Amino acid sequence: LLELPKARESFLEAVSIEPEYAPALRILKEIAAVEEDWEAYERHLLAQGATTENPNAKAALWLEAGRFYDQNKEDDDRAIVYYERALEINPGYLDACRELAEIYFRNENWPEAGVCYRRVLDSISPEREARDFAQKNYRLGLINDKLGHPEHSVEYYQRAVDADPHYLMALEALSQSLITMEEWADAKLT
């Protein structure tokens, strides 16, 4: 820990000579995280993402940047930019899609949240990941309620309850949707 200032200076010198020197950028970012210097962390993270050529590594760095803006800066707009960059590089990047879905849901951007949750659902095994599968279906049910599609909501709530019969919010939402749609016989069964 006592050597961090010396290490920082050495790696800053390396970056001043070769601005795209990835090992130095990575270490400077790590030092900034240890020192909780979030401005330096942000600067080195973005430089590392901009200069990395490997597509998988670049997508992972943009995911990291998205999480940084989401969790540390609470800046949803900037987080969305970096999550979307990660998905542009790797359209199947499930972690970026999950993060985007949460931001869109939190900000009540129902259409975009629905797209992301459906993409996430396509990769979840209802048998191995029952709780996550149920939660995503429940959220899709809520989204469809917000968008005025109760017939789709019922399908998603039912899938949530089928995956996790103890998911009380999904069970309650399913019952409420069936009552709203005047499906009395089905509502009695839930």
Side-chain angles (χ1 to χ4, degrees):
L1 216 50
L2 297 174
E3 299 299 320
L4 283 181
K6 277 186 178 178
R8 182 183 344 90
E9 292 308 313
S10 295
F11 287 108
L12 283 171
E13 185 176 332
V15 168
S16 72
I17 296 167
E18 179 58 52
E20 296 181 6
Y21 185 52
L25 291 170
R26 180 182 49 77
I27 292 171
L28 284 167
K29 180 184 71 174
E30 291 172 8
I31 291 171
V34 168
E35 294 178 335
E36 297 183 3
D37 180 351
W38 300 119
E39 287 180 25
Y41 178 87
E42 176 182 15
R43 187 173 56 254
H44 299 308
L45 172 61
L46 297 181
Q48 191 181 8
T51 59
T52 297
E53 292 182 20
N54 177 296
N56 291 332
K58 186 180 277 290
L61 287 164
W62 292 146
L63 174 70
E64 184 180 345
R67 286 181 172 154
F68 172 75
Y69 286 110
D70 186 12
Q71 297 165 7
N72 293 58
K73 296 280 189 169
E74 297 180 356
D75 184 342
D76 288 346
D77 293 333
R78 297 274 313 262
I80 288 169
V81 166
Y82 289 102
Y83 291 141
E84 287 179 347
R85 282 187 188 177
L87 285 170
E88 286 171 13
I89 295 167
N90 180 354
Y93 202 174
L94 189 60
D95 289 339
C97 201
R98 283 179 187 273
E99 300 291 350
L100 266 177
E102 295 302 319
I103 289 177
Y104 288 142
F105 189 86
R106 181 172 64 231
N107 289 297
E108 300 180 3
N109 183 341
W110 307 126
E112 294 296 330
V115 168
C116 290
Y117 279 128
R118 281 189 292 279
R119 286 176 66 186
V120 170
L121 266 179
D122 287 344
S123 67
I124 296 176
S125 165
E127 294 81 25
R128 288 185 309 227
E129 301 167 88
R131 184 68 180 160
D132 196 29
F133 185 81
Q135 192 250 6
K136 301 304 182 264
N137 274 290
Y138 170 71
R139 291 251 172 127
L140 280 164
L142 290 173
I143 289 166
N144 277 281
D145 277 342
K146 298 290 185 181
L147 293 174
H149 305 295
E151 67 285 354
H152 296 300
S153 296
V154 168
E155 293 172 30
Y156 285 113
Y157 292 142
Q158 186 63 60
R159 289 175 67 186
V161 170
D162 289 346
D164 183 355
H166 303 290
Y167 197 167
L168 296 180
M169 291 189 308
L171 191 56
E172 181 181 346
L174 174 60
S175 296
Q176 189 60 47
S177 289
L178 290 169
I179 290 168
T180 301
M181 293 174 55
E182 298 182 3
E183 298 287 340
W184 310 116
D186 290 337
K188 280 180 141 180
L189 295 175
T190 57

